Amino acid sequence: MARVRASQSVNIARAVILSIAWACTSSALIFLNNHLLREHGFSYPMMLCSMGMTSSWLISFVCITTGRVKRKHAGLITRRWYARHILPIGCLGAASLGFGNYVYLYLSVSFIQMLKSAVPAVTMAVMYTAGLERLHGTTLTGVAVVTIGTFIAAYGEVKFSAIGMMMMMTSEFAEAIRMAFYQYVLGNLKFDLIEGLYVMAPASLAFLGLGIVALELNQFVQERGWEIIAAAPHYFLAAAFMGFGVNILTLGVIKATSGLTFKVMGQAKNAAVILLAVMLFGNPVTTVQLIGYAMSLFGFFIYQRGKMQQEAVKRLSDGDKFHGK
């Protein structure tokens, strides 16, 4: 009994430590990226997020090639399979990352975190359209409340930018479509994080590279952007390795807790980032925005309650099938 309690205590402590580390690292990365893009003068969002993706791939490459991590699906991956399955996911991932970083040039950190509360609405719309999710009364109610709250928050934004709003929605839709495509194409094929980064990061980097060439390279050369990096290389190294750290800690938190707990903590972290952005950086937040954001949070919890109800019904149905009922 004592051993069981000790084991539970260790698991709880591990979950708490991982959760705090994830929240601090991801929040710090948000502020660091915002600082580099808006205040430090490095106005190349795709180039910046490609640094984190590059470090993630390099570290995963070292882990794989040195044998520290075994590839479970090496025999499955051929050039044709990679082109049909991984390249589309990489393209969508690059769009999500790239446009998600461009948003910091147009919108405040606090407003961006408010807009992230609309993710459940976007995800459900994409999943339903793809035939991967059924409509449910409670989840629909939650999504409706989230959507209304997001519109109210956008209406109350002092420094509203239509371009920034379009980029944010493009990023969210790209991520939702990526998840739907991943679920539809790969199904039950589950990669460990390191193997997943090793396999998928090159595809994302390739499309980020195309975006950099099309949108940023000419300006980077004309403005001698490498001098900005050389003037403060520690900032960019920190951004690169923190990107990898967020990926690793995200998996650790989900394994130590659950996907639902992680989503709830994500909303709590977004609220903390908004508070810090207001207190430390003076980001303006209006009363209308706060009302809209509070409504979005309420809608999020309704949505998650509906998802739990759907999962419970599914488990009951699977149990009946298993027992031949």
Side-chain angles (χ1 to χ4, degrees):
M1 188 68 176
R3 289 183 179 180
V4 174
R5 289 180 179 176
S7 177
Q8 290 176 341
S9 298
V10 169
N11 290 337
I12 292 173
R14 181 172 179 272
V16 170
I17 292 171
L18 286 171
S19 299
I20 293 173
W22 165 79
C24 292
T25 304
S26 58
S27 300
L29 183 59
I30 288 171
F31 288 121
L32 177 57
N33 283 346
N34 182 68
H35 171 74
L36 291 174
L37 291 169
R38 304 193 67 168
E39 298 171 24
H40 197 67
F42 192 79
S43 54
Y44 317 103
M46 286 192 176
M47 203 171 291
L48 183 59
C49 66
S50 70
M51 295 177 186
M53 186 61 68
T54 301
S55 71
S56 296
W57 181 75
L58 287 175
I59 293 172
S60 64
F61 177 82
V62 171
C63 291
I64 293 290
T65 54
T66 58
R68 291 185 175 274
V69 176
K70 301 297 182 182
R71 292 185 62 187
K72 297 179 180 179
H73 307 290
L76 174 68
I77 300 174
T78 62
R79 290 182 180 179
R80 183 177 180 182
W81 186 91
Y82 194 91
R84 292 180 60 187
H85 296 78
I86 303 301
L87 284 183
I89 294 174
C91 178
L92 291 164
S96 176
L97 286 171
F99 286 109
N101 251 20
Y102 261 104
V103 171
Y104 288 95
L105 295 177
Y106 299 93
L107 302 175
S108 66
V109 171
S110 57
F111 186 44
I112 291 170
Q113 303 312 303
M114 290 182 185
L115 291 178
K116 287 181 180 179
S117 63
V119 169
V122 175
T123 302
M124 194 186 79
V126 170
M127 290 293 190
Y128 174 73
T129 302
L132 298 172
E133 184 170 318
R134 296 180 179 180
L135 296 180
H136 183 271
T138 306
T139 55
L140 275 175
T141 301
V143 165
V145 174
V146 166
T147 303
I148 294 171
T150 303
F151 276 117
I152 293 173
Y155 178 78
E157 170 65 9
V158 175
K159 299 179 179 180
F160 182 83
S161 167
I163 296 176
M165 192 74 176
M166 289 175 60
M167 287 186 171
M168 187 67 190
M169 296 310 297
T170 300
S171 174
E172 291 188 356
F173 269 102
E175 180 61 18
I177 296 170
R178 186 186 75 87
M179 294 303 297
F181 191 87
Y182 189 101
Q183 184 175 331
Y184 178 76
V185 173
L186 299 184
N188 294 324
L189 181 62
K190 302 297 182 183
F191 288 101
D192 290 335
L193 179 63
I194 295 297
E195 185 182 14
L197 288 174
Y198 177 81
V199 172
M200 296 182 189
S204 293
L205 280 171
F207 285 102
L208 282 172
L210 292 175
I212 290 169
V213 171
L215 301 174
E216 298 178 358
L217 186 60
N218 188 47
Q219 181 184 354
F220 181 81
V221 173
Q222 289 181 353
E223 297 178 353
R224 302 173 68 87
W226 58 84
E227 293 181 353
I228 301 175
I229 300 176
H234 55 287
Y235 281 152
F236 297 92
L237 285 173
F241 286 104
M242 284 166 67
F244 172 74
V246 170
N247 287 330
I248 288 291
L249 290 168
T250 296
L251 179 68
V253 172
I254 292 174
K255 284 188 174 181
T257 57
S258 67
L260 175 60
T261 302
F262 178 75
K263 290 178 181 178
V264 173
M265 286 193 299
Q267 293 296 328
K269 186 211 72 175
N270 290 342
V273 169
I274 292 171
L275 181 62
L276 287 172
V278 172
M279 294 175 60
L280 300 179
F281 304 102
N283 283 182
V285 175
T286 65
T287 302
V288 174
Q289 274 186 292
L290 290 177
I291 293 172
Y293 183 56
M295 183 178 293
S296 294
L297 287 180
F298 181 63
F300 168 79
F301 287 108
I302 295 175
Y303 171 82
Q304 289 300 336
R305 181 178 177 81
K307 294 294 292 181
M308 291 173 66
Q309 291 174 351
Q310 285 181 292
E311 288 296 325
V313 171
K314 183 180 178 181
R315 286 195 299 268
L316 182 61
S317 176
D318 291 342
D320 291 342
K321 290 179 182 178
F322 178 78
H323 291 96
K325 294 182 180 179

